[in-house]
Amino acid sequence: MTVLTDREKEIVDYLYTAERDAREVIKITDKYPELTIEEAYGLQDRLLERRLMENKTKNVGVKLGLTSKAKQVMMGVDEAIYGYLHADMLSTEWEPVNYSELIHPKVEPEIAFLLGADLEGEDVTAEDVIKATKYVAPALEVIDSRYKDFKFTLVDVVADNCSSIKFVVGSKWISPESIDLGSIGMVMSKNGKVEQTGSSAAVLGHPAEAIAWSVKELSKRGKRLKKGDIVLSGAMSEAIAFTSGDSIIAQFDGLGSVSMFCK
Ligand code: OOG
Ligand code: MG
């Protein structure tokens, strides 16, 4: 058991209940402008411990964020980040996402990696990531920042588990060796109309590079990626807002498609 300071307790409670009650809140750096990125990752850990306990769920992997220029420009930051995926965030294509449980959701296209081996250490390369990957699949990530107007600093978003709320993985999983993961074109449509196009090259040059980056970051904090983890490698384009009644589909060259419906 970790002993929390009063400030940690307050912030964890603030962010946990904001997600639980689908309520937007003022960003934490308005009250605590001196918080550092390291402290933000510490707060994320504490928030996730609380979430695992209260939601009676378990960890299923990691998500990378702000790995593409489009997303960095969109959010006004210039660094990638990571957060965690829990089993209760996994949604399926045939099960609608419930708008009433969300604040101001957006959806973004990603490539999911399923790991067949652990990855750890500060010198992990993109090749090591490919070797450790059993399958890749098309994915949609739903993000729902707990902060008012979806606006935050890097510290705020890291503490808020990088806006994570739901993700959908397509049903077709293929070997990473059977495709050039560095140049996968993608088209994302909402209600039949094209909203975003992108390429996997936008994700730090190659999604496996992005995952190698995350392994180094995790290692600095004594953590690693584990066999069986699902890793979302980061959005390939800007995220788009959706509401009740919307259908979203992302089609990826060579990987197939993944869809989502919001009720
Ligand atoms: C932060 C999460 C970003 C991605 O794939 O870039 C992210 C946010 O934009 O709210 O998941
Ligand atoms: Mg994402």
Side-chain angles (χ1 to χ4, degrees), residues 63-65 108 110 141 143 234-235:
K63 58 94 44 102
L64 314 193
E108 49 191 27
E110 309 213 4
E141 185 186 23
I143 50 174

Side-chain angles (χ1 to χ4, degrees), residues 62 84 115-133 208 211-229 231:
V62 167
Y84 284 83
L115 298 187
D118 288 5
L119 276 169
E120 89 181 294
E122 294 199 28
D123 47 11
V124 163
T125 63
E127 290 75 55
D128 298 329
V129 171
I130 303 279
K131 263 190 246 137
T133 302
I211 295 181
W213 168 85
S214 75
V215 176
K216 289 176 206 164
E217 287 297 302
L218 287 161
S219 295
K220 287 187 204 159
R221 303 185 179 96
K223 297 178 171 187
R224 66 197 155 97
L225 294 178
K226 300 193 184 99
K227 178 179 176 181
D229 273 355
V231 185

